[in-house]
Every structure is written in C-alpha cells, then in structure tokens.
Amino acid sequence: MTRLLTRHTAFYTVIIGTALSLVLSFVADAWWLVPAFLCACLTALGMFDLTQTRHAVRRNYPVIGNLRYFFEFIRPEIRQYFFEDDTQQLPFSRANRSLVYQRAKQEMDMRPFGTQGDVYGDEYEWINHSMSPQHPENNNFRITVGGADCTQPYSLSVFNISAMSFGALSANAVRALNKGAAMGNFAHDTGEGGISPYHLENNGDLIWNIGSGYFGCRDKDGKFSEEAFISRATQKSVKMIEIKLSQGAKPGHGGVLPGAKVTPEIALARGVPAWETCVSPATHSAFSTPIELMQFVAHLREISGGKPTGFKLCVGHPWEWFAIAKAMLKTGITPDFIVVDGAEGGTGAAPIEFVDHVGTPLREGLRLVHNTLVGIGLREKIKLGASGKIISAFDMARIFALGADWCNAARGYMFAIGCIQAQICHTGRCPTGITTQDPKRQEALVVSDKCVRVKNFHDNTLKALADLLGAAGLSHPADLRPHHIARRISGSEVRVLSALLPDLEKGELLEGKFRQTIFRVGWPMAQAESFAPLYSLSAALSGNDNTALPQVRARAG
C-alpha cells in the first residue's frame, strides 16, 4: 500500500484538491472554482495516464510522470541557455554563433582577457604570423571560375552561401539570403530544390545546384530534360551550374518529400505536380560512369551558353574519385570547378548514422581532391570550392591552405538571418521562420532587416580574413599553403599541415609515382569506364590475388 500511495500520491492529491476546492467554492468564495478547474484537468490527465498504453512511466506515475517528458522536451533549450560551455561544439559553439551574430549586426567582435581555447590541448591550431606583416588594400577577394571551354567565366567571391533548397528554407529566408548576396556581390547556391521565384526577386547571383531529382530541369518521368534546363540555365541570374553527386550530411542517400509538403510553390520550383510525393534518388539517371559524367558536364556547359559547370561531392571510396580523375584524362573534358563537401556539413534532416558516420570530413576530402588534381597536372585548370562547418576567418584560412580556392557556408549564413540552433529544422516549427513553410512563422523573418545582416556577415568575415592574411605576411587567400597552419599533435609535439597532409608534385601520378599509400593502393584500382574498382581493396592490401593484380599493375604502369 505504501508503494501504491507513493506512486499515486500526485494523482490522489489532485483528486482531493478538486473535491476540496469545489466545496470551498460553495461555502466560502466562488474564486475557488479556479483551482477546482485546474485540479479537475489534472485529475482527467491522471485518469488518461492510467489507461494509456504507450508510456510505462505515466501508467506507474500518473500526473507527475508527465514532468519527465516535459523536461526532456525543453532539455535542448535548458542546456543551450544555462549549461552549455562557450566553446562546446553542439554542433556550433556559443562562441562561434556569437561571432556570426556580432558580425551580422555590425557589433564589436573583439574579446577581452585572452583566448578561451586550450592552446596546449590536442588538435589546437594556429596560423604562424610574420615579422613583416602586409596590409591588403581591400578585402574583396575574388577568383575567376571558367576554363578554356567556358565562354561566360564568372568572377566569384571567396565566401558564398552554400546549397540550401527552397522547401527546406522558407520563402523569406531565401529572399533575405539572395538579397544579401546581391547587396554584397557574392553568390547564392540554390540547393537541389530548384530555382524558386524567391531566388529571382532580388537578382542575386545564383549557382544552380542540380541533384539526382533534376528539380527544375526534369520531365514527367523524373529524367533530365534538356529543354527545361536551357530555359532556366540561360537566365541572367544563373552564373554557374553545379551537379550534385553527394552532400556531406547524407552522402549516398536519396530523399523523399511527402506529398503533403509539396505545396504549389515548391512544386513550381521543382517542376513536379503539387501534393504528390517527390523522390530524389540516391543516384543520377543522366549518367552512370565517370566518362558519362564528364560528357554530361560538357553538355550542360554547352547548352547553358558556356557558363562555368562543375560538380559537388563528398569524398567516399577514393577509387571512385580517382575514376573521375581518370575520366578527365581520358576524355580531355575538365569541369570548371569542383566543390568538396565535408561529412561535417549540415542538412534539414538525415538519418543519424549518415550524419555521424558516413562520408569523409572536409579537410581530408579536400586534400585528396587537391592532390589528385596536382598529381595529374589539372589543378590549374579547375577551381576548388569547399563547404563544411566554416564560420570564421580562421576556418577559411585553414581550408585555403589545404587547397581550396573559395569557401561556402550554409549554417553560418543561417545564423546571420537569425537561426538560434534550435535543431528542429525538420519539424516545420522553426522558431525564427527560417526552416518552415508556415506563413505565420515566416512573417517573423523581416527580409529588409536580415538581408543587411547577410551582407554584413560576408563583408566583416572577409575583413577579418584580410587582417589574418596580413598578419601572416600574405595579401590574398591564394597565397596560403599548408605550412602556414600549425597543429598541436600532443603536449610535446607540433606539426605544420604540410607535414601531416603533404603535397604531391605536379604530374607525379602520371609518372607512376605513388609516395602516399592512398594513391599507391587506390589509383591502380580506378577505371574511367566505371565507378566499380578493377579489383577488391582486400586483394590490394593483402596481395593474395595473384591473377588480377599483375595485370592491373602492368596497366597502371
């Protein structure tokens, strides 16, 4: 009986409270009806708790057991506002978020009293400064994207808005980002959801992202439509064409947008029927081999009117990337650019296993792509972009040092327009109106205010980058090399990145030099005609395949 009373004390208390309050409302004061009503509601809740079958805690602890689910519901907010450390990555630290907010709002972004980082901790990184610092004349760092086969090269800022689709973002969020890009003269990647009217309202420069669903350039069967592509690719706002092979947050995974979410606006942007389930396959149907990919790149470049065309990928099996590189050599076709997305990249929603354990992180992926292009003598013909948790000028400097020509940021620009990292993007209940299609919630995001913050974040981050470069004795991000960045390996060991992630020499892969294991093992496995390896990795590592390997080695040589 004692245990029964203990478990049901709260339930019995509200029952007694209901009865007592009702009696007092008749004999004393009518205001007692208020607590009577509240206690009656809790009594009804307790009765429901006892009869429901979904939650054992609520059946055993009626009424009071609901507190467990309430506190679990508000746990992220409690941690963020009261217990989160300034430098704790969840996934972005409060310090990083505050930096974006300050730069977006034109507030002071200085910090007193010294660093909050542990400079003697493992993985601590810094840029080595010079005794002869430079003073860059401006921070409008730009590069020209477009090779010999491109008739409309594009002057691109080194810091742009990464791929985020309309549908994942609200109309007002797209408007604010695009208007900010127009004001700051930098580019806005559409994401694979197509070009919506909101991407075109303010004439911001667009990088049109084309995924496996071919949204905005597909026929009724979901295949690539050349006619639909031409009608959009030739628009003045579209400056570059980006084929999405994979994205960092969920590489190798397709997507399904339920019909209930395919509103007429989203349907118009994607070129699909409204209110019907929209599928984004895991693989492309327009090509199936590395050679066909290169031919697809050349075709899109031609029918877009000669605009820079390339692709975006998160590096997975290295031999598949090597196969693409070999296809470039075999066909003589090179993309104008490649964007490397890191596994740390974000998305509106993805399976936990994919978010946490699929894909190569940005630094290793970028370094592999850069070195491969150097090793086959094509690096000077192809520009490299990089995306994946880039917020500060130091984040950019490190990525430039590893081989990137420009950086993209998605969540950083989301912070600039008000994102508070509530991490409920997939629910449609975004508290700031950024990742929702609810028209009322979107109204909270005032485009005229937030677009200015987008521009400010871009401009102030590049100003900080200029200061950082100047301190290192450099004048442009292109001057950065791996030896400019140092990393602490342990309490007693420091290495520059050039020692940890060494360079290849120009053309050395073509000469059959494989100084690094990944090239020695993976390069001979790759073939331009297929993404499949010529033989198994196990055979390559064990050396037990005595029939295939000699032939392959001979071919590689």
Side-chain angles (χ1 to χ4, degrees):
M1 178 61 70
T2 302
R3 292 184 63 190
L4 182 66
L5 288 174
T6 301
R7 287 193 294 114
H8 292 79
T9 297
F11 183 43
Y12 294 153
T13 299
V14 295
I15 293 175
I16 294 171
T18 301
L20 184 60
S21 297
L22 283 173
V23 171
L24 290 173
S25 69
F26 285 109
V27 302
D29 195 307
W31 282 105
W32 280 100
L33 286 174
V34 175
F37 174 75
L38 295 176
C39 288
C41 290
L42 291 174
T43 299
L45 175 62
M47 294 174 66
F48 176 76
D49 289 340
L50 288 170
T51 57
Q52 59 84 35
T53 58
R54 188 174 182 181
H55 300 291
V57 170
R58 292 172 63 188
R59 284 174 67 87
N60 274 330
Y61 299 89
V63 181
I64 198 169
N66 289 277
L67 290 176
R68 186 258 186 195
Y69 302 98
F70 170 74
F71 287 122
E72 185 180 63
F73 179 73
I74 65 171
R75 178 176 177 269
E77 288 78 13
I78 294 295
R79 290 191 65 191
Q80 183 178 112
Y81 294 122
F82 298 104
F83 301 109
E84 179 186 336
D85 187 87
D86 281 350
T87 59
Q88 189 174 1
Q89 308 288 331
L90 289 172
F92 286 89
S93 68
R94 179 178 292 275
N96 273 335
R97 298 198 307 273
S98 296
L99 179 66
V100 177
Y101 299 147
Q102 289 162 351
R103 288 179 173 167
K105 297 177 183 178
Q106 293 280 50
E107 295 176 353
M108 183 181 293
D109 59 356
M110 305 296 180
R111 179 184 296 163
F113 219 68
T115 179
Q116 294 179 343
D118 180 4
V119 299
Y120 296 104
D122 293 354
E123 303 300 313
Y124 177 76
E125 293 178 322
W126 66 92
I127 186 169
N128 287 314
H129 67 281
S130 170
M131 294 297 291
S132 302
Q134 300 293 314
H135 301 282
E137 295 181 0
N138 64 71
N139 55 21
N140 185 27
F141 301 122
R142 308 191 75 82
I143 59 170
T144 299
V145 182
D149 298 319
C150 176
T151 59
Q152 296 189 55
Y154 176 57
S155 177
L156 178 71
S157 169
V158 299
F159 189 41
N160 304 284
I161 300 171
S162 195
M164 295 180 283
S165 300
F166 169 60
L169 298 186
S170 68
N172 276 3
V174 172
R175 285 184 175 114
L177 291 170
N178 192 257
K179 189 172 183 177
M183 295 167 65
N185 194 24
F186 55 100
H188 178 194
D189 194 310
T190 65
E192 68 172 314
I195 303 173
S196 72
Y198 311 111
H199 286 99
L200 302 172
E201 281 186 12
N202 297 293
N203 300 313
D205 291 349
L206 296 177
I207 301 172
W208 185 13
N209 181 297
I210 299 173
S212 56
Y214 305 112
F215 299 127
C217 57
R218 58 188 267 152
D219 60 21
K220 58 183 179 60
D221 297 320
K223 306 297 184 182
F224 176 74
S225 168
E226 183 174 312
E227 182 181 356
F229 172 82
I230 293 173
S231 68
R232 288 175 170 80
T234 53
Q235 295 177 102
K236 184 179 179 180
S237 292
V238 176
K239 303 299 182 182
M240 292 166 53
I241 310 296
E242 177 184 80
I243 303 165
K244 193 197 86 169
L245 303 182
S246 57
Q247 69 181 92
K250 49 181 179 180
H253 190 276
V256 177
L257 187 64
K261 294 186 177 181
V262 184
T263 64
E265 288 182 316
I266 293 175
L268 177 64
R270 297 194 175 208
V272 299
W275 311 119
E276 292 186 15
T277 298
C278 179
V279 177
S280 180
T283 58
H284 280 262
S285 59
F287 56 87
S288 59
T289 69
I291 287 177
E292 290 177 355
L293 168 59
M294 290 301 100
Q295 292 169 342
F296 190 56
V297 167
H299 184 55
L300 296 193
R301 180 163 52 207
E302 179 184 358
I303 62 177
S304 68
K307 294 183 178 180
T309 303
F311 57 85
K312 168 184 173 180
L313 84 164
C314 176
V315 175
H317 295 310
W319 57 83
E320 294 182 346
W321 155 243
F322 294 154
I324 295 175
K326 287 187 174 183
M328 296 179 198
L329 295 172
K330 187 159 189 175
T331 63
I333 300 170
T334 55
D336 296 296
F337 66 90
I338 298 172
V339 175
V340 181
D341 200 15
E344 61 268 48
T347 187
I352 294 296
E353 291 82 2
F354 279 77
V355 170
D356 290 341
H357 301 292
V358 181
T360 303
L362 176 59
R363 301 179 205 177
E364 288 78 11
L366 172 64
R367 197 65 181 151
L368 179 65
V369 172
H370 168 78
N371 268 339
T372 303
L373 295 177
V374 171
I376 62 176
L378 295 180
R379 181 62 183 89
E380 295 174 357
K381 295 183 177 182
I382 301 170
K383 291 295 191 292
L384 284 184
S387 56
K389 213 169 182 181
I390 295 172
I391 291 289
S392 70
F394 180 76
D395 294 335
M396 296 177 67
R398 177 175 51 211
I399 295 304
F400 287 131
L402 291 176
D405 294 300
W406 87 85
C407 295
N408 294 332
R411 288 167 291 180
Y413 282 104
M414 286 175 65
F415 291 143
I417 59 175
C419 173
I420 60 172
Q421 196 171 268
Q423 299 185 67
I424 54 173
C425 310
H426 58 298
T427 67
R429 301 193 304 271
C430 174
T432 58
I434 296 172
T435 60
T436 178
Q437 297 305 307
D438 184 331
K440 293 298 182 183
R441 288 179 178 268
Q442 289 187 52
E443 290 179 0
L445 198 161
V446 181
V447 174
S448 59
D449 174 64
K450 297 301 189 288
C451 67
V452 177
R453 298 189 184 187
V454 171
K455 177 185 181 298
N456 289 343
F457 173 55
H458 171 270
D459 293 352
N460 288 327
T461 302
L462 289 190
K463 181 179 183 300
L465 177 63
D467 292 341
L468 204 59
L469 292 171
L474 308 174
S475 58
H476 193 277
D479 299 329
L480 281 162
R481 295 293 182 270
H483 65 261
H484 288 116
I485 307 294
R487 179 187 299 172
R488 183 174 297 283
I489 305 303
S490 68
S492 59
E493 186 177 5
V494 171
R495 298 273 189 91
V496 291
L497 294 190
S498 56
L500 295 172
L501 301 167
D503 285 304
L504 260 64
E505 296 177 2
K506 184 175 180 180
E508 73 171 75
L509 294 180
L510 300 178
E511 299 171 4
K513 297 179 181 178
F514 304 118
R515 291 181 294 130
Q516 298 179 20
T517 301
I518 193 167
F519 293 104
R520 184 167 59 252
V521 173
W523 185 260
M525 295 172 62
Q527 53 182 327
E529 294 78 14
S530 174
F531 287 109
L534 284 166
Y535 53 91
S536 74
L537 179 61
S538 297
L541 294 176
S542 66
N544 292 331
D545 190 336
N546 296 319
T547 57
L549 287 180
Q551 301 173 16
V552 171
R553 290 195 182 105
R555 188 185 309 181

